[in-house]
Amino acid sequence: MFDLVVKDGLCFVDGEFVKANVGVEGNQIAYVGREDVRGELEIDAREKIVIPGLFNAHTHLAMTLFRGYAEDLPLKEWLENKIWKVEKLLTARDVYWGSLLGILEMLKSGTTAFSDLYMFMDEVAKAVGESGIRAVLSYGMADRGDEDKAKKELKIGTDFVRNWDNAFNGRIRAVFGPHAPYTCTPDFLVRVKEKARELNTHVHIHVSETRWEVEYVRERYGKTPVRLLEDIGFLDEKTVLAHVVWIDDEEMRILRDKKVSVVHCPISNLKLASGIARVKEMHDLGINVCLGTDGASSNNTYNLFEEIKMTSLLQKVTTGRADALKAKEVLRMATENGYKAYGLKGGKIERGYLADLVLIDRRKPNFCPTYDPINSLVYASYGCEVTHVVVDGELVVEDGIVLTLDEDRIIDKVEGLKEKFILERT
Ligand SMILES: [Zn+2]
């Protein structure tokens, strides 16, 4: 008798869809096969597609509060004139409610785990704990060349890792999140990486997001961001770089050789006119590429199905090849590659992996007829087809309802918070 069984679903196992029963024991998948297994809780998946949970590998979750707040601006102007100003008004409670809203949206669209870099991270951690979702969390640090600030930021980041890593039965992993090579000095980045190595944890950072950033770093330090990071010994298998839009061939080989993971955020990169990352080339070279939405202010959703489709389409048009990136490869980027980037054994329906599972209703007009479920998922999903979500062996979404959160209350709260940010906008 298993704790939970998902019965008769069309499951994504080893890159193929097969009819199978999935047995869960504790927080792990304990059985995948055709035997008639029984569970304390049984979910009928006869009309469902079952996939490993989606991993949103780069978010600023509480930016749900600024969804639709400042639009149609390039990154630098958007950050300096809008976002950084309004973020000064944020309180811990705002971040708590904004994070719950983001989690609600992610769970309902099949995301079981996310990696967040922001402020008031204790509040994000509390929201993660209550909601049942899995998360890799980091305090977003920047020293901006100020030694006092460097010390303070590193202390907040380190305390956060010490206080929260492995909380909620390991559902939270706490890592370091220095903002970017243009807001952090090389000296600060070296100290962050040393701390991360000492505490045996990952580092999550924005790198080479815009052409402006690359030029700025080159002018200031005489080299591109990736080369700078390589020279200071920052890059290794526990380094996760978000964006990586503007890199050359040699930098790509550096990332491969150092076993760095890259988070591709196609919609944010398009919306801020940052550019299109060379994802197919990175993937073909053997770099672990995963997918992220970035913050809700530059996306504007946390629906990873949109990133999946966009990733595929963009690589087809930039390479001029309709066969660039197969549907299956993009689904893996959205699932197992995200878990792998942060050293988690998840993202696969396989014995011994974390029990993070998503059930998707096949009987939807946009999925009909289903010749191959992979094509429905990658090219025809809205995200709202998700019916059930299991995280860490616990059922957290049932028939589209998030069992752990009060959806109406969260929406009312965030609508109420809007007022003070509107004042700042004018
Ligand atoms: Zn970001």
Side-chain angles (χ1 to χ4, degrees):
M1 177 80 81
F2 293 103
D3 295 333
L4 184 149
V5 169
V6 178
K7 286 192 94 99
D8 296 318
L10 207 46
C11 303
F12 190 62
V13 179
D14 281 337
E16 304 293 332
F17 280 91
V18 293
K19 269 268 179 205
N21 298 317
V22 181
V24 171
E25 232 166 49
N27 70 346
Q28 286 186 5
I29 296 171
Y31 174 82
V32 183
R34 287 304 301 151
E35 279 173 49
D36 185 24
V37 289
R38 305 311 302 260
E40 299 279 348
L41 178 65
E42 296 189 357
I43 304 170
D44 178 2
R46 270 174 299 177
E47 304 282 3
K48 307 282 176 20
I49 299 164
V50 185
I51 60 168
L54 304 180
F55 196 117
N56 188 345
H58 180 69
T59 66
H60 311 289
L61 198 58
M63 288 187 89
T64 44
L65 299 168
F66 310 130
R67 195 196 317 261
Y69 178 78
E71 306 290 30
D72 308 328
L73 294 169
L75 180 75
K76 192 164 177 289
E77 205 179 317
W78 176 78
L79 276 178
E80 290 176 357
N81 296 340
K82 300 286 180 183
I83 296 302
W84 284 343
K85 282 185 182 167
V86 78
E87 277 181 342
K88 290 204 174 86
L89 300 178
L90 278 177
T91 65
R93 280 319 268 174
D94 297 341
V95 168
Y96 171 76
W97 286 106
S99 298
L100 283 178
L101 180 66
I103 291 170
L104 192 60
E105 186 184 350
M106 287 196 289
L107 284 173
K108 285 171 78 96
S109 53
T111 291
T112 50
F114 67 101
S115 177
D116 198 56
L117 187 160
Y118 210 51
M119 59 185 98
F120 298 114
M121 293 307 292
D122 291 349
E123 303 300 313
V124 186
K126 282 180 211 161
V128 168
E130 287 167 30
S131 66
I133 201 167
R134 184 184 305 287
V136 176
L137 304 179
S138 54
Y139 169 64
M141 303 182 281
D143 69 319
R144 297 178 192 274
D146 176 339
E147 179 53 26
D148 281 349
K149 194 164 164 59
K151 279 191 191 126
K152 275 185 207 150
E153 291 281 88
L154 192 55
K155 179 165 178 6
I156 300 172
T158 306
D159 287 348
F160 180 74
V161 172
R162 290 209 166 106
N163 291 339
W164 290 101
D165 195 26
N166 280 317
F168 302 110
N169 191 33
R171 239 183 334 106
I172 288 182
R173 295 306 313 273
V175 307
F176 285 90
H179 177 259
Y182 65 97
T183 47
C184 300
T185 58
D187 175 61
F188 182 65
L189 292 173
V190 166
R191 283 148 74 186
V192 171
K193 191 66 196 179
E194 275 170 6
K195 232 350 148 195
R197 287 196 174 113
E198 184 190 318
L199 297 175
N200 193 27
T201 195
H202 284 63
V203 180
H204 177 192
I205 181 171
H206 300 87
V207 174
S208 297
E209 180 174 3
T210 61
R211 221 192 287 229
W212 172 86
E213 173 191 334
V214 175
E215 285 314 311
Y216 175 85
V217 171
R218 205 203 306 262
E219 264 172 40
R220 187 143 190 192
Y221 304 111
K223 53 194 105 166
T224 59
V226 170
R227 288 184 182 86
L228 172 72
L229 294 176
E230 189 205 14
D231 286 353
I232 61 171
F234 193 85
L235 303 175
D236 60 26
E237 74 285 354
K238 287 190 172 173
T239 313
V240 182
L241 309 186
H243 301 299
V244 194
V245 177
W246 297 98
I247 54 164
D248 58 36
D249 294 352
E250 191 195 51
E251 289 178 298
M252 212 180 276
R253 285 192 294 274
I254 292 171
L255 298 182
R256 191 261 322 265
D257 293 347
K258 296 289 178 185
K259 298 187 171 58
V260 165
S261 290
V262 168
V263 189
H264 178 46
C265 306
I267 293 178
S268 175
N269 295 153
L270 289 176
K271 189 160 182 258
L272 298 169
S274 302
I276 301 171
R278 296 161 65 191
V279 171
K280 179 175 160 40
E281 290 168 81
M282 287 195 268
H283 173 262
D284 288 354
L285 201 60
I287 295 171
N288 184 53
V289 180
C290 43
L291 302 185
T293 55
D294 210 353
S297 192
S298 63
N299 189 297
N300 293 5
T301 74
Y302 289 128
N303 177 1
L304 214 62
F305 282 104
E306 290 193 353
E307 309 299 323
I308 290 172
K309 183 169 179 175
M310 193 62 80
T311 297
S312 170
L313 300 187
L314 283 176
Q315 297 308 305
K316 293 179 192 317
V317 78
T318 51
T319 59
R321 293 185 52 171
D323 64 348
L325 287 188
K326 301 279 192 302
K328 200 186 290 185
E329 293 166 339
V330 185
L331 185 61
R332 280 188 164 141
M333 287 181 183
T335 52
E336 62 180 278
N337 291 11
Y339 283 83
K340 193 176 156 197
Y342 293 99
L344 299 169
K345 195 175 177 185
K348 281 170 115 170
I349 302 181
E350 192 177 310
R351 197 161 178 257
Y353 276 70
L354 289 167
D356 292 2
L357 299 164
V358 173
L359 277 66
I360 294 159
D361 191 357
R362 279 197 277 159
R363 291 191 61 82
K364 291 288 179 189
N366 50 313
F367 281 2
C368 181
T370 303
Y371 292 107
D372 184 339
I374 190 73
N375 298 330
S376 304
L377 290 170
V378 172
Y379 300 115
S381 292
Y382 300 120
C384 57
E385 303 84 357
V386 169
T387 60
H388 293 64
V389 177
V390 174
V391 184
D392 215 36
E394 298 288 333
L395 183 66
V396 286
V397 180
E398 184 175 33
D399 294 320
I401 308 286
V402 180
L403 303 173
T404 48
L405 301 174
D406 183 340
E407 180 165 342
D408 282 336
R409 182 154 180 254
I410 293 167
I411 289 173
D412 287 345
K413 272 278 179 192
V414 174
E415 277 294 334
L417 290 173
K418 208 170 63 180
E419 297 307 315
K420 72 172 178 185
F421 302 126
I422 290 172
L423 292 176
E424 179 67 14
R425 192 154 66 147
T426 50

